[in-house]
Amino acid sequence: MARDDFAPTVVAALGKRAAFICSNPNCRKLTIAPSSADAMKFLYIGAAAHITAASKNGPRYDLNMKAEDRAAITNGIFLCRSCADLIDKNRGIDFTADELRSWKTDHEEWVSANLNKTPGGVGGDGGGGTIIGDRGTVIGGKGGDGGTAGSGGKGGSGFIHGDDGIIIGGDGGNAGTADGRGGKGARSPMQRYGTPTDLWRFGSGGSGANHPEYDRRLTLLAQFRYEYVTTLPDHAPYVHAGIDVVPADWINQRLAECNELWRVEMGEFGYTLPPLTSEG
Ligand SMILES: [Zn+2]
């Protein structure tokens, strides 16, 4: 049976355009690494997968597509091997061609937005210490800073086994989250338990600046909230009292009307903003 396979140049371009990172938004595994045994070799677990199948009866096969389009880069998506396998299970019914196309577009946008940036990561935890004797001071180290989409490390802490001592926890590292909000300072154990913090001076976490786009989005959300309470004054007291929030659907409708491409989702503690995929 004829298969409309990708040419090697198409396979290579798909991988590079995806930064050799799996395009499944729930996976994003890095698929390539150097071989430790051979300086000229590498380990590769990536795959150039067909969005609509290369041959008849394959997953998402599109009868109306021309053979040359089936083999074109527009019909390819870069995935890790396990995701390439996953999307073809049950003959592809669990993943539609449209869904895969949007994975590809979103992923390529995300890669573009991260060109020349530090990859996300979690900062290292600050050091801690233990006081074995009766007196002493432990000062925890500062947690490391996370990268572009990383989270800051935890501040250090310590234990006192003796009678007395001072523990000063280190600061948490700075972070920028995927939605662009600056990292929050980690609360100390004393703050978490509601104990006066001057007893043991645990340090507080460092904080990072918001991405300018995140600030712009906050301003828009605040403006919509104002519109909501002025156009629907009956709801205003509840919104002001924090009993109700402006419904996410209403916000999203206003975002659409303002030609904004992002949407909010209702999370456990309020709106969740989408990750920043581009500067605009
Ligand atoms: Zn994957």
Side-chain angles (χ1 to χ4, degrees):
M1 190 182 293
R3 279 187 57 88
D4 300 313
D5 286 325
F6 298 129
T9 47
V10 168
V11 174
L14 277 169
K16 286 176 186 168
R17 290 175 59 90
F20 292 106
I21 292 169
C22 178
S23 304
N24 176 352
N26 298 312
C27 175
R28 281 196 178 162
K29 263 196 211 98
L30 185 62
T31 64
I32 196 162
S35 160
S36 53
D38 185 332
M40 281 301 287
K41 288 202 153 69
F42 50 88
L43 300 163
Y44 181 62
I45 52 161
H50 278 78
I51 294 175
T52 72
S55 61
K56 227 177 249 179
N57 300 324
R60 295 170 299 276
Y61 183 75
D62 183 352
L63 195 69
N64 299 317
M65 202 180 249
K66 277 187 282 182
E68 65 200 70
D69 292 337
R70 247 176 244 129
I73 193 162
T74 44
N75 193 36
I77 179 169
F78 185 82
L79 297 168
C80 73
R81 289 221 184 117
S82 55
C83 287
D85 201 28
L86 175 75
I87 62 162
D88 288 350
K89 294 282 178 207
N90 297 328
R91 294 181 58 200
I93 57 169
D94 297 299
F95 299 90
T96 65
D98 280 346
E99 185 177 9
L100 300 179
R101 285 189 196 103
S102 85
W103 281 7
K104 183 185 183 182
T105 314
D106 290 352
H107 184 71
E108 289 192 350
E109 270 178 29
W110 177 77
V111 171
S112 300
N114 281 289
L115 179 66
N116 206 22
K117 284 188 186 164
T118 314
V122 181
D125 291 353
T130 306
I131 300 175
I132 307 283
D134 287 344
R135 297 193 69 83
T137 304
V138 170
I139 302 176
K142 184 182 184 300
D145 290 348
T148 311
S151 53
K154 280 178 288 190
S157 58
F159 289 103
I160 300 176
H161 288 297
D163 293 337
D164 190 15
I166 298 172
I167 292 176
I168 303 174
D171 290 343
N174 292 322
T177 53
D179 61 5
R181 182 166 69 180
K184 256 193 297 190
R187 289 183 311 154
S188 73
M190 292 297 99
Q191 286 169 312
R192 260 175 256 150
Y193 296 129
T195 314
T197 51
D198 53 354
L199 285 182
W200 285 2
R201 293 191 295 128
F202 278 87
S204 57
S207 54
N210 289 345
H211 190 284
E213 171 60 14
Y214 188 82
D215 281 336
R216 192 190 70 83
R217 292 179 177 188
L218 286 190
T219 309
L220 258 181
L221 290 180
Q223 184 197 317
F224 291 160
R225 183 179 184 277
Y226 176 77
E227 285 176 16
Y228 184 83
V229 296
T230 42
T231 48
L232 299 162
D234 287 354
H235 295 257
Y238 303 100
V239 173
H240 285 313
I243 295 165
D244 285 350
V245 292
V246 181
D249 287 350
W250 197 89
I251 296 276
N252 286 335
Q253 194 193 320
R254 291 291 295 123
L255 285 171
E257 285 163 9
C258 296
N259 297 321
E260 292 284 331
L261 298 175
W262 56 284
R263 299 290 178 264
V264 296
E265 270 177 44
M266 210 60 213
E268 201 181 338
F269 303 107
Y271 306 126
T272 312
L273 273 64
L276 297 179
T277 49
S278 67
E279 299 294 317

